[in-house]
Amino acid sequence: MDVSLILLVLVVITALAFDFTNGFHDTGNAMATSIATGALKPKTAVALSGALNLIGAFLSVEVALTVTNAVIKIQNKDGSPITSLMANHGQSLLLIVLAGLIGGIVWNLLTWLLGLPSSSSHALFGGLIGSTIAAMGWTGVKWNGDGSKLDGVVGKVVMPALVSPFIAALIASVGTWLIYKITEGVNERWKEGGFRWGQIGSASLVSLAHGTNDAQKTMGVITLALIAYGSHTDTHSVPFWVKLSCALAIALGTYLGGWRIIRTLGKGLVEISSPQGMAAESASAATILASSHLGFALSTTHVATGSILGTGIGKKGAEVRWGVAGRMLAAWCITLPAAAVVGAVMYFIGHTIGGIVGVVVIFAILCGLSGYMWHRSRQKPVDHNNVNAEWDDRDDAAEAIAASSHPVAATHV
């Protein structure tokens, strides 16, 4: 049986699964505040976000084929795989990609289970960095650029992660202060109603931008795998079925909601009102669009979280739950290394066992861990019925304690 063909099929399936987790993991970035303030009903919000993510995924594939070039050295500048990884229909490259995707998915599911917003892009990059190190050594990773532009792990991942939340928080806090200053004499009922309409527009813009940006990563990974196997040769285009499947996967994931993360962003950080919600979404959209124009890659999760915290700072008397924010920060700091460890371990297991058995074993591990975390989530379900329930800090603390007592969650604490 052709090991490379099985690898290719599993890479495509796993990449679409990652796209799916990316969708439900990031829905809260756009819609959490609209749901929290009642601007949109929960089901309506996730349906709107899903539709806009679907549209956004088709708007741009400009950098899809070279998206991994920023952090690892498995491609040439034109997007084609490097020659040393092309033997046996690209088995080495396909195993690196499969192990890296597993690292990204496992971290996405763990942080979803804990209700912690974290960057899916960082999880994917972390998984790929880990599997690349396991396969090629430390030299297989592009740690720094050549000095001509922001590139490498430091320029594309670390610096944006450090800077973007503060920029978004600053914009949102100033915007919130101005909104309340300007509307000081406006009746509260009219103020809330008017800003709820504004929230729908600003949240929609964030959803569209997210689909345009995040779906490209998975399109690029699948197309790279197809080129490595030899079933696609054009390094300047993405096959239509790849675009469609990735767009549908991220849209479906978005529609299913990721309610645990929506709850944390909408209720756990700040008790948010409509003016704050619009300020947060507008700050997120402005930061993301400005950074895209300047070629500065940002995590939508970091931007959205920073914006929400900024609205709490900008509104006089608002309560900011810094304990929840601290847990998020801890998750952000270990996303890259945690996903990298999983990616490296998966590559090591697959490569050591070898052949079809090795590939099947690491895919089975992914399925087992995914099933376990889904089962754990059912013990304390969060959905559209209770996503807006009053936040209880005791429940949040209990969740952290419970997580620390399980091996799968041990990497978090």
Side-chain angles (χ1 to χ4, degrees):
M1 195 176 293
D2 188 348
V3 178
S4 298
L5 180 58
I6 293 175
L7 260 172
L8 176 64
V9 171
L10 291 182
V11 164
V12 172
I13 293 171
T14 310
L16 293 176
F18 175 81
D19 223 11
F20 178 80
T21 66
N22 192 163
F24 73 68
H25 211 280
D26 288 359
T27 311
N29 296 341
M31 292 298 173
T33 57
S34 294
I35 292 171
T37 63
L40 288 168
K41 293 181 178 179
K43 283 284 191 179
T44 304
V46 296
L48 176 60
S49 186
L52 290 168
N53 268 277
L54 178 63
I55 295 169
F58 281 99
L59 292 182
S60 173
V61 291
E62 186 178 348
V63 297
L65 291 172
T66 56
V67 70
T68 61
N69 264 341
V71 293
I72 56 177
K73 301 173 184 177
I74 62 173
Q75 290 172 270
N76 299 308
K77 288 185 178 180
D78 64 354
S80 61
I82 61 175
T83 308
S84 61
L85 299 175
M86 289 292 284
N88 298 318
H89 291 287
Q91 274 189 36
S92 296
L93 184 141
L94 291 171
L95 185 57
I96 289 172
V97 171
L98 179 61
L101 286 166
I102 292 173
I105 291 174
V106 169
W107 184 252
N108 269 358
L109 289 176
L110 177 58
T111 48
W112 162 77
L113 175 64
L114 299 175
L116 291 173
S118 67
S119 171
S120 294
S121 299
H122 288 195
L124 175 61
F125 287 148
L128 289 171
I129 287 169
S131 61
T132 300
I133 291 173
M136 303 169 62
W138 294 93
T139 57
V141 178
K142 188 184 291 186
W143 299 106
N144 293 293
D146 58 8
S148 62
K149 61 178 180 179
L150 288 170
D151 206 1
V153 176
V154 173
K156 289 293 187 181
V157 180
V158 176
M159 283 184 60
L162 293 174
V163 174
S164 61
F166 293 100
I167 294 175
L170 177 62
I171 295 172
S173 61
V174 173
T176 301
W177 182 83
L178 286 173
I179 285 171
Y180 277 100
K181 196 70 175 176
I182 293 169
T183 61
E184 202 168 10
V186 178
N187 181 279
E188 194 66 27
R189 183 168 66 90
W190 289 105
K191 186 191 298 185
E192 283 288 324
F195 279 107
R196 282 178 183 174
W197 282 104
Q199 273 191 275
I200 296 173
S202 54
S204 297
L205 185 59
V206 176
S207 290
L208 191 67
H210 179 265
T212 303
N213 182 59
D214 278 41
Q216 286 196 57
K217 298 178 181 68
T218 315
M219 291 180 196
V221 167
I222 293 176
T223 305
L224 175 63
L226 293 172
I227 294 172
Y229 181 75
S231 58
H232 184 72
T233 57
D234 188 354
T235 58
H236 299 287
S237 69
V238 175
F240 177 76
W241 72 265
V242 174
K243 294 180 188 177
L244 179 62
S245 58
C246 289
L248 289 173
I250 200 168
L252 181 60
T254 302
Y255 175 69
L256 291 180
W259 300 109
R260 306 174 84 83
I261 294 172
I262 291 174
R263 174 159 170 74
T264 301
L265 283 173
K267 304 296 289 186
L269 280 174
V270 180
E271 283 297 331
I272 206 160
S273 64
S274 291
Q276 288 172 278
M278 184 176 169
E281 290 155 3
S282 299
S284 295
T287 305
I288 292 167
L289 292 173
S291 67
S292 297
H293 178 70
L294 296 171
F296 199 65
L298 297 184
S299 163
T300 53
T301 300
H302 295 169
V303 171
T305 305
S307 296
I308 292 171
L309 283 172
T311 65
I313 296 169
K315 182 185 178 183
K316 186 178 180 181
E319 177 190 0
V320 178
R321 298 185 179 94
W322 293 107
V324 178
R327 289 185 63 206
M328 290 184 190
L329 181 61
W332 293 357
C333 290
I334 63 175
T335 290
L336 202 73
V341 167
V342 177
V345 169
M346 291 300 103
Y347 179 88
F348 178 77
I349 292 172
H351 180 70
T352 301
I353 297 174
I356 294 172
V357 177
V359 174
V360 171
V361 165
I362 63 172
F363 188 75
I365 291 173
L366 170 63
C367 294
L369 289 175
S370 301
Y372 172 79
M373 285 186 271
W374 180 85
H375 174 70
R376 285 279 299 152
S377 74
R378 295 302 87 200
Q379 296 178 20
K380 189 179 178 182
V382 179
D383 56 26
H384 65 282
N385 295 310
N386 63 350
V387 70
N388 270 343
E390 288 302 311
W391 185 266
D392 189 339
D393 288 327
R394 291 173 300 175
D395 289 344
D396 184 55
E399 183 80 18
I401 294 169
S404 67
S405 65
H406 290 274
V408 173
T411 34
H412 166 70
V413 290

